Amino acid sequence: MTKEKGRDDPDDFSGISLGGVAFMLTVIALRHPWQTLKELLKVVRRLGRRALRLAMVPAALVAAIVLSRRRDRRPTFEDYLHGRDEE
């Protein structure tokens, strides 16, 4: 019997070792530096937008809660007792 690699072996990428894949990507990146830089900047910009969006979610949630409570001010029972009208 021969010993074969499993399909989910981490050292194999479609029949090429990970070192081979890294070498091929390095060669391709060095052959087309401007295209590589352009694609890298696209990825960085996309990640930056996503991080900003994730950072803004808690702030937007707090703002929505504060604004909804401010607009939703209804008279309480004590307001009726003391005769205070805010209008």
Side-chain angles (χ1 to χ4, degrees), residues 13-28:
F13 185 78
S14 298
I16 303 172
S17 69
L18 290 178
V21 171
F23 176 73
M24 285 179 54
L25 287 175
T26 304
V27 169
I28 292 169

Side-chain angles (χ1 to χ4, degrees), residues 10-66:
D11 293 334
D12 193 16
F13 185 78
S14 298
I16 303 172
S17 69
L18 290 178
V21 171
F23 176 73
M24 285 179 54
L25 287 175
T26 304
V27 169
I28 292 169
L30 291 175
R31 288 190 69 171
H32 304 282
W34 294 114
Q35 184 67 26
T36 303
L37 183 62
K38 181 179 169 184
E39 294 299 324
L40 184 63
L41 288 176
K42 278 184 188 178
V43 170
V44 168
R45 192 177 312 133
R46 199 173 303 139
L47 287 174
R49 280 191 209 134
R50 184 175 222 164
L52 181 63
R53 206 175 308 138
L54 286 174
M56 293 302 291
V57 167
L61 183 62
V62 168
I65 290 171
V66 167

